[in-house]
Amino acid sequence: MVAITNMVDYAVEDGVAVLTLNNPPVNALSHGVRAGLLQGVEKAQQDQAVSAILIYCEGRTFIAGADITEFSSGMKEPGLHQVLTAIDNSAKPTVAAIHGTALGGGLETALSCNYRVAVSTVKCGLPEVNLGILPGAGGTQRLPRVVGVEKALQMITTGVPIGAVEAHQLGLVDALVEGDLRAEALAFAKQKAAEGGEHPRVRDREDKLQPARDNPEIFAMARQMIAKRARGFLAPEYNIRCVEAAVNQPFDEGLNTEGKLFMELMSGPQARSQQHFFFAEREASKIAGIGKEVAERPINKVGVIGAGLMGGGIAMNMANVGIPVTIVETKQEALDRGLGVIRKNYENTAKKGRLSPEQVEQRCGLIQGSLALDDLADCDLIIEAVFENMAVKKQIFTNLDKLAKPGAILASNTSALDLNDIAAVTSRPEDVIGLHFFSPANVMKLLEVVRGDKTADDVIKTGMSFAKRIKKVAVLVGVCFGFVGNRILFSRQYQSDKLALEGANYARVDKLLYDFGFPMGPFQMADLAGLDIGWLKETSKPDLFVKDRLCEMGELGQKTGSGYYDYDEKRRPVPRQQTTDFYLETSKALGVEQRDISDEEILDRLLLSMINEGAKVLDEGIAQRASDIDVVYVYGYGWPVYRGGPMHYANSLGLDKVLEKIRHYHQLTGDDFWAPSPYLVKLAEQGESFK
Ligand code: 3H9
């Protein structure tokens, strides 16, 4: 075996040149891999002892794509195109031996080979769309030629990979192997070389393109299918255009079209934002100061207190991954209702074909109901999910302290309250943590893991990795009112209310945020959550707050059919004159003069209020890093990922510009709310960005 580069080895076995890639963790196509592959293929052409070439990967996976870390600095020669052209032009048959995942540039490499051999657990896909780009090394031209245009459009526009069996049925994989991949792929390559004749090249195939040539409506249908999901994103449309080129242009011309559109996307802000987010998501799981030496606590049985919407959703997360869970309620009726809702949720999923009836039963079987808190005594993790009332939570934790087994983790799902106060009622504050799920808890991916002043390191580590086990994206946050997500949201809500008082129509405020890319604006969001969240009759101030006035009228949002908006039978919002009138009356009562407010000011005030609060959150150490705030906002609050999250967005505007605007609004409104975060001032003055 000869090392061609530090990432690629060359060996000849039984007349087959085996190019072995070793670039952990995912064998990305870094410079050393590209250079090694190119030299290896060229060497094999010259080598008289070689009659076939096999590309094989060490480690946990075949090539998972281009090396995304190289994107920002530009790729050094040889580019992937050059490498794949060499593979494609090889005079000797080429075989890719695939295990793990063949993604993006990895699948493109495999598609440049004459043959693909895979183990039965592989996943093959072109997920570039999720990075704001498109498969730029021939993937959009080759995949439709193998799997057909319709399937390729589906794979390329969603980025979702397909499994081995389907890949085999579609002809994307020529042979599935059960045993030793390397040995069997080697034998396969040898056999193909021995058979001789022409070896198929994907670029030459036309048969699978014909149906789309006969039925060009297929593209309009693809656009229609993704319209809702792809709103605001550039990449899905660009991907479709490339597949259209595959159908309508000769191969090399199609490649040129692909290359041109790839460069356009790659140099744009959406790609930068989505690639930032790829790393942000992975970075979020890392905990500064807690290393490998800290052991995790085992979690085999979970208890949930409260069978309401939140508790039920939380319990479903455990059952979905096979962890037994006991839900405790105080009354039989509430328990029955909660368990009924869970069953109904699962049955609805089954109706959509995403669960089998057996899976419904299996998951429901993992969720036990109980009226006795004592039944949680043997749980490794107990999650309290009752309504937001400190006295009630303290009482529960006092009881848990008495009954939970030693070492059990005691978690609160509070969305805003002081976790340290809750922990203080126990004799074991080191075992207390916050696990803030977002509603609906069985759907939303975000989990804020709240570190109290005394929470032990192993409890934090367990909380973070448990989140991963139940398929959540966890972000570690510190204690303050509202933690990271809600605290920043409160700032935006405050501004949206102010804007409406100052004369910006509330529905226009919502529309501007929707057009920015959020699924809905602040008023619609409040209607969805229920206006009575956090509202108390005793402290209500209907003369000062339109929301309080609506609550007193029993108009609590979607659930009552009206709130800021009216809702039709399909729950679509219809703007109400009453809300506008209420704001006008409240403005008058408060002596606020209404004026024309530009779209720019509305959007600025909504977004900059979040950024300024985000800077304070960072300064106080409530979030570990700026990109964690981005993860919270994309996964928890619908910030459009093609804008990267609030802190990335601030960086892209330039912190000096952000500060200038914040100072402008401070002066314009005279409201100390706009006092800029000292941390933001420091970074802006030093010409830096949020890191
Ligand atoms: C492309 O191919 C463009 C071409 O079409 C055209 C070019 C001209 N590069 O996710 P994990 C790192 S675009 C660099 O935690 P898992 C990742 O950051 C690419 N680094 O593991 C992490 O680092 P750290 C198309 C990468 O087992 C570590 O590997 N391909 C890359 O849960 C482990 O990752 C994709 O979009 C990369 N390509 O999941 C696939 N991939 O440990 C992207 C991973 O320091 N990757 N890293 O935090 C994935 O989807 C998942 O990583 C994978 C493994 C499913 C492979």
Side-chain angles (χ1 to χ4, degrees), residues 25-26 28 60 64-69 71 75 80 101 103-105 108 127-128 131 133-137 262 278-279 282 286:
V26 296
R60 68 191 217 218
D67 184 343
I68 306 166
T69 60
F71 285 176
M75 286 190 208
L80 191 52
T101 47
L103 298 177
E108 290 174 301
E128 284 86 342
L131 298 168
I133 54 173
L134 52 86
F262 176 81
F278 175 85
F279 291 112
R282 283 156 179 83
K286 295 171 188 153

Side-chain angles (χ1 to χ4, degrees), residues 224 390 430:
Q224 209 180 343
M390 184 56 108
E430 66 280 6

Side-chain angles (χ1 to χ4, degrees), residues 394-437:
K394 280 185 172 172
Q395 186 55 56
I396 288 175
F397 275 77
T398 305
N399 295 341
L400 287 181
D401 191 28
K402 290 186 196 129
L403 67 90
K405 68 180 185 185
I409 296 178
L410 310 181
S412 172
N413 175 51
T414 179
S415 59
L417 299 180
D418 189 330
L419 185 77
N420 294 326
D421 283 356
I422 297 173
V425 301
T426 72
S427 62
R428 38 175 144 174
E430 66 280 6
D431 293 342
V432 176
I433 195 168
L435 293 179
H436 176 210
F437 289 80

